[in-house]
Amino acid sequence: MDNPILWTLILVQVLMGAFDTLVHHEGTERLAWRASQKTELRLHGVRNFFYAVIFFCIAWFEPHGAFTFGLAVILIAEVIITLWDFVEEDMTRKLPGSERINHTLLALNFGAILALAAPYLWAWSLLPTALIPVTYGWWSVMATASALGVGLFSARDLLASARSDRLKRVEPAELVADLAPRQSILITGGTGFIGQRLVSALVAGGHFVTVVTRDPRNADNLPDPVRVITSLDQVHGKDCFDAIVNLAGEPVANWIWTQKKRTRIVESRVETTKALEALIQRLEHKPECLINGSAVGWYGLRGDEELSETSSPAPAFVHDVCDAWEGSANKIKALGVRVVVLRIGLVLGVEGGMLSRLLTPFEFGGGGVLGNGQQWMSWIELDDLVRIVAFALSQKDLSGPVNATAPFPVRNKAFTQVLAAALHRPAIFRFPARVLTILLGEMGRETMLSGQRVLPALLQRNGFVFKHPKLPDALREITGAMPERSRSAAR
């Protein structure tokens, strides 16, 4: 099988498959952490195992006679599994357009590979049964590397499929059980990581939710019934909202802080809040409460100092962002609306946020400490944050800044160790502060190499009870970690 066109098509298939896996399955879709994708993960695991066998076989052997028929059976099984996978994907999730295009190209390219390989398979099938050693130079090396790669992902996907049943989620209605019934709530940022879980909880709890999003396609994954609008101008002055939750804003830590990025970060928050102020002014019935987002970055870079809601800030760009956002929200107090500003820590969940970006590298043994690892990480589990929002809505005497963080912040070194333990993986790397600063600039210095030791003093004084106060228990539940006794029994 020394046809360079055939080997080129095989290389193209490998590259497109790697793109699909890394960009779609691991990146945008995070299939390994979605309990709903258990069957799809199992199909991927079996198919990747077949690919590993095929790649290793064609790299070093000519399968003759019965071995040729065995290879043909595997190729036919791969086609059947792929068709089954297409059906499963369409039934269980909405595929991005780029993934559909990539799947079409993969299918067409695979058809061309089969057409070119068919004469070789036919000729081999007529020969006496044997595995004849061969080598195709660089092509054999490429095929072997591909076999190792898909074999690794085969094992990972099968393990992730088995883990799916342990990725249990609390029934969303339980998260807002303390709210008065049938509340009408307007939410900005309702299609984001935090917003989607909040919307799901409110809808499941029987409340009426209006979500503001610039692109209505972003609301496709929200539960029904939800009213979706693309502008606050679509809200009529006679509409009645019991509360508004403002979570909208340009992501802070997803790219280096160019001047244009800095401007978008600030303006996306301030302009939305100003628009909400204008909306409230024209509403005949004012909402009782505005829950406005902010972040622990308001305190600036404070080292080891314990920070409560009465602590003062230190200079930093993250403080400037939060201060501008809080300042816009606090103007709404003059309209007779109770304003609660949630200074939110690092939100932990597999669906998004910082943790979702760490799961894949940690799961493959690539986790490590950032800088010296001594920076504090004030965190909050996603469902606890939704419960805090509901608590703030229901506590009529609660106002002003509220630290929305778990009561036990940890240093980065401890966070790394706990996450690695939850995933049962080593975390042996250390990412030097100098390198991160060179690559990411001030964004890396403020969001990765510095932190705040924030405590939820006001929430605790008002009787809020955290379901996940400590990091080890929270990460074990979030990641569906197998209990140690079960792991020992499995051995």
Side-chain angles (χ1 to χ4, degrees):
M1 200 174 72
D2 55 358
N3 186 334
I5 297 176
L6 176 56
W7 277 110
T8 301
L9 291 177
I10 292 173
L11 175 60
V12 170
Q13 191 78 0
V14 168
L15 293 176
M16 288 195 297
F19 176 83
D20 195 36
T21 297
L22 298 176
V23 174
H24 297 131
H25 299 171
E26 298 294 334
T28 58
E29 299 296 291
R30 292 187 292 274
L31 299 183
W33 298 99
R34 292 170 63 173
S36 61
Q37 304 313 120
K38 178 179 180 179
T39 301
E40 184 180 355
L41 287 166
R42 190 172 295 166
L43 291 170
H44 290 178
V46 175
R47 183 176 61 192
N48 284 337
F49 173 76
F50 285 160
Y51 266 130
V53 172
I54 293 169
F55 287 146
F56 188 78
C57 177
I58 65 175
W60 304 107
F61 299 100
E62 278 189 7
H64 293 175
F67 287 113
T68 308
F69 288 104
L71 180 59
V73 169
I74 291 175
L75 289 169
I76 293 170
E78 192 281 335
V79 172
I80 294 172
I81 289 173
T82 297
L83 293 174
W84 185 358
D85 183 42
F86 287 169
V87 174
E88 179 67 23
E89 289 171 340
D90 277 332
M91 291 175 59
T92 57
R93 63 185 175 96
K94 182 183 178 183
L95 271 68
S98 60
E99 188 171 3
R100 287 192 181 278
I101 293 171
N102 198 64
H103 285 179
T104 301
L105 294 175
L106 280 166
L108 293 172
N109 195 67
F110 189 67
I113 290 172
L114 291 179
L116 290 177
Y120 294 97
L121 295 175
W122 177 255
W124 293 343
S125 69
L126 301 176
L127 298 174
T129 298
L131 281 175
I132 307 300
V134 294
T135 181
Y136 302 104
W138 184 89
W139 293 118
S140 291
V141 174
M142 180 275 293
T144 302
S146 301
L148 293 174
V150 293
L152 178 63
F153 275 95
S154 170
R156 186 282 179 85
D157 286 343
L158 292 173
L159 289 172
S161 175
R163 178 182 59 203
S164 296
D165 290 335
R166 300 195 300 274
L167 295 175
K168 296 178 181 178
R169 300 292 301 274
V170 174
E171 287 297 321
E174 296 179 19
L175 305 178
V176 294
D178 293 337
L179 280 182
R182 301 175 68 80
Q183 296 284 291
S184 179
I185 299 176
L186 174 71
I187 300 177
T188 67
T191 61
F193 167 45
I194 300 169
Q196 284 196 39
R197 185 61 170 165
L198 175 61
V199 170
S200 296
L202 291 170
V203 171
H207 303 286
F208 304 102
V209 179
T210 299
V211 171
V212 187
T213 177
R214 286 173 295 180
D215 187 350
R217 291 174 297 182
N218 294 335
D220 287 348
N221 293 326
L222 296 179
D224 290 325
V226 172
R227 178 191 179 196
V228 178
I229 59 176
T230 57
S231 169
L232 291 174
D233 293 337
Q234 295 172 259
V235 177
H236 195 276
K238 294 185 180 296
D239 286 346
C240 178
F241 298 105
D242 296 294
I244 296 175
V245 179
N246 180 23
L247 301 172
E250 173 82 8
V252 172
N254 67 337
W255 193 245
I256 57 175
W257 290 342
T258 62
Q259 187 56 49
K260 186 175 181 180
K261 175 70 171 177
R262 288 170 181 264
T263 300
R264 288 203 309 268
I265 288 172
V266 176
E267 289 186 351
S268 63
R269 288 162 170 77
V270 172
E271 295 304 318
T272 299
T273 310
K274 286 181 178 179
L276 287 173
E277 180 184 10
L279 169 67
I280 294 172
Q281 286 176 332
R282 65 183 177 84
L283 287 176
E284 294 182 8
H285 177 85
K286 310 296 185 193
E288 187 276 330
C289 178
L290 166 68
I291 306 294
N292 204 81
S294 185
V296 294
W298 185 88
Y299 297 102
L301 312 182
R302 303 295 296 273
D304 292 340
E305 183 181 352
E306 291 188 350
L307 304 170
S308 69
E309 287 84 356
T310 59
S311 299
S312 58
F317 176 66
V318 287
H319 164 73
D320 296 340
V321 173
C322 296
D323 194 52
W325 199 8
E326 292 187 18
S328 296
N330 286 329
K331 292 178 181 179
I332 296 176
K333 294 178 183 177
L335 302 177
V337 177
R338 177 171 63 93
V339 175
V340 178
V341 174
L342 296 182
R343 291 174 180 167
I344 302 170
L346 297 167
V347 185
L348 303 185
V350 298
E351 301 89 349
M354 177 268 297
L355 179 61
S356 71
R357 295 192 291 271
L358 294 178
L359 289 173
T360 295
F362 268 76
E363 197 169 16
F364 284 96
V369 174
L370 302 180
N372 62 14
Q374 295 303 301
Q375 64 273 34
W376 286 95
M377 300 177 70
S378 296
W379 59 277
I380 184 72
E381 190 269 338
L382 175 60
D383 282 355
D384 264 351
L385 178 57
V386 173
R387 293 175 61 248
I388 289 171
V389 173
F391 183 82
L393 288 171
S394 63
Q395 299 293 307
K396 305 300 183 184
D397 58 346
L398 186 66
S399 63
V402 174
N403 290 340
T405 63
F408 298 100
V410 298
R411 296 187 189 273
N412 175 257
K413 184 176 181 180
F415 182 94
T416 300
Q417 293 170 343
V418 172
L419 178 56
L423 296 174
H424 306 291
R425 298 290 191 275
I428 60 175
F429 295 101
R430 184 177 292 274
F431 301 96
R434 182 177 179 82
V435 174
L436 292 173
T437 302
I438 291 173
L439 292 176
L440 302 173
E442 191 178 4
M443 189 275 281
R445 185 175 69 86
E446 290 196 12
T447 66
M448 295 183 178
L449 300 173
S450 303
Q452 302 82 19
R453 190 180 183 182
V454 178
L455 303 177
L458 195 57
L459 282 175
Q460 292 185 307
R461 276 205 308 271
N462 281 271
F464 181 81
V465 178
F466 290 85
K467 296 293 186 184
H468 301 93
K470 295 185 177 181
L471 186 66
D473 291 338
L475 284 182
R476 279 196 295 268
E477 182 169 323
I478 291 170
T479 61
M482 185 183 293
E484 288 300 325
R485 281 187 300 177
S486 299
R487 284 175 59 82
S488 299
R491 297 191 190 105

